[in-house]
Amino acid sequence: MERKNIWEFYSDEQLAEIETFTKNYRDFLDNGKTERECVDTTVNIIEAAGFRELPKLINEGAKLKPGDKVYHVLMNKMLIMFIIGEDKLKKGMNILGSHIDSPRLDIKQNPLYEEEGIAYLDTHYYGGVKKYQWVTIPLALHGVMVKKDGTTVEINIGEEESDPVFFISDLLPHLAAEQMEKKANKFIEGEALDIVVGNKPILIKTPDSLANDDSTESEAAKNAVKKGILEILKQSYDIEEEDFISAELEVVPAGKAREAGFDKSMILAYGQDDRVCSFAGLTALLEAKNLTRTACLIFSDKEEIGSVGATGMHSRFFENTVAELMNLTGDYSELNLRRVLSSSYMLSTDVGAAYDPFYKSSFEKRNTAILSGGVLFKKFTGARGKSGSNDANAEYIGYIRKLMEEAEIRFQTAELGKVDVGGGGTIAYILAGYGMNVIDSGVPVLNMHAPWEATSKADIFEAKRAYAAFLTGLGL
Ligand code: MN
Ligand code: MN
């Protein structure tokens, strides 16, 4: 099977559609650089499209019917959406599941310190990062700080032209002979990823006052830069140092998603793993009409650290939400819930590695996705002999192939890389645990997990078309 660059297949109309669609995608990325922001952005979009929040519907004792649109949020970080289909829910759903967390640096709970007149915030990296990629680039701070009285202060610094940015320092090449001898994973250590946040002391005394009062000056000068930062936080946000204890602050690359290449064929942006599949799925869901099977879209959190915790895919939130939904359609029983879950179909919509000609030895060309080769399908992921993988059933793949061919979707099959070179996983195996048919499907990414990741506009568009076709599927 030959892999082809799919750009040549598009009509002028489709090419125009790709531009509009990917402009919306860039806005989606810019408005949601953390899982919380992504949930907020998405809820705004779906509420405008007529989706209603599940707890409100439960309170009203609503009866759901085909065509009704429902969503449910957990802890502002995980989001599940449904459009009720014509068929009885217990026949199963068509599920698109992506994740909205991305690799980044998280601020620690006791982070602010000063050394030699430079103030820092201490970080703990989140997910798989090549640490050396994060030094010396402009960084932004996003997140929330929750005060003792329960009020939440939203932080978003570094994205506006007039905002300051933050950065992590690195050693100049003139003095880096020893550093350059180190292996890349030791080159920049995890504890060296603290961001620089200030350099101006709060008190600058005149020479006269210094001459009069030496001891007081040295005491006042101690941590004066840190004190200055705390003063700014107090004035701007009414925040105390202790409020970092109950904060979730994320350090992400500063700046907007950009078009890339002379031909503007690509998108270069932070957090495309996996908000690219989230956006493709969201658009497919919003465009869906006359659904036979109930459509479900999952935006999960914590995928990059193993899908753990309340908002990770391993939590009971999804199952509980489906149970509540069934209760409102009049279908709920414990047995019916099991039936819905086991007879659902899922695309685990997550990105894959695009073939990189500069790193040929890490890929096996015939079974790797190429950039602009179309939406990818991965039968399995995992590492060392498929370990940790969901290995999709051949019959299910046959069904997916038929759907894709009928809708004229340009797709390619893929593995993550060469056998035994490495590996990875997605949320696929977790849902498959219900006895559900699941396969991985996503967009190829160059420099995945880097501060700036690259995708092809054509692949994103094709993913959206594939997900739309999948949602209309009638089942095996
Ligand atoms: Mn991913
Ligand atoms: Mn990832």
Side-chain angles (χ1 to χ4, degrees), residues 233-416:
L233 289 175
K234 180 75 191 164
Q235 280 175 8
S236 313
Y237 303 101
D238 195 25
I239 285 167
E240 315 279 345
E241 187 174 8
E242 283 70 29
D243 293 329
F244 280 106
I245 293 171
S246 45
E248 284 182 344
L249 294 171
E250 303 181 11
V251 179
V252 300
K256 291 184 188 312
R258 304 291 295 266
E259 295 175 295
F262 281 118
D263 53 11
K264 299 185 177 175
S265 58
M266 297 164 282
I267 303 285
L268 188 73
Y270 166 70
Q272 297 202 72
D273 176 5
D274 180 34
R275 291 180 204 120
V276 66
C277 296
S278 305
F279 184 73
L282 177 63
T283 311
L285 184 74
L286 293 175
E287 289 176 2
K289 284 191 186 74
N290 307 322
L291 291 167
T292 304
R293 287 162 67 86
T294 293
C296 171
L297 180 62
I298 303 170
F299 285 4
S300 67
D301 178 29
K302 300 286 183 283
E303 193 274 346
E304 297 294 356
I305 57 168
S307 296
V308 291
T311 55
M313 201 63 233
H314 278 296
S315 101
R316 292 281 176 269
F317 178 64
F318 170 67
E319 194 179 317
N320 294 348
T321 298
V322 174
E324 294 283 7
L325 190 80
M326 293 179 70
N327 203 32
L328 298 187
T329 57
D331 290 317
Y332 179 74
S333 75
E334 178 60 23
L335 184 59
N336 279 348
L337 173 63
R338 303 289 136 210
R339 285 175 178 161
V340 170
L341 294 171
S342 65
S343 53
S344 288
Y345 300 119
M346 184 192 190
L347 293 185
S348 163
T349 59
D350 203 346
V351 300
Y355 182 79
D356 189 335
F358 271 103
Y359 301 95
K360 287 189 174 73
S361 64
S362 300
F363 298 97
E364 186 269 285
K365 205 170 176 180
R366 274 168 295 122
N367 289 286
T368 300
I370 60 165
L371 208 62
S372 293
V375 60
L376 65 83
F377 284 92
K378 245 185 258 168
K379 186 176 187 297
F380 53 86
T381 57
R384 302 170 310 280
K386 300 190 178 182
S387 182
S389 168
N390 160 62
D391 199 349
N393 198 31
E395 285 82 351
Y396 181 51
I397 303 178
Y399 164 71
I400 296 288
R401 273 180 67 196
K402 183 162 164 280
L403 280 182
M404 295 302 124
E405 265 154 39
E406 280 169 1
E408 296 181 325
I409 307 299
R410 282 113 203 172
F411 69 91
Q412 48 187 335
T413 57
E415 293 186 24
L416 186 53

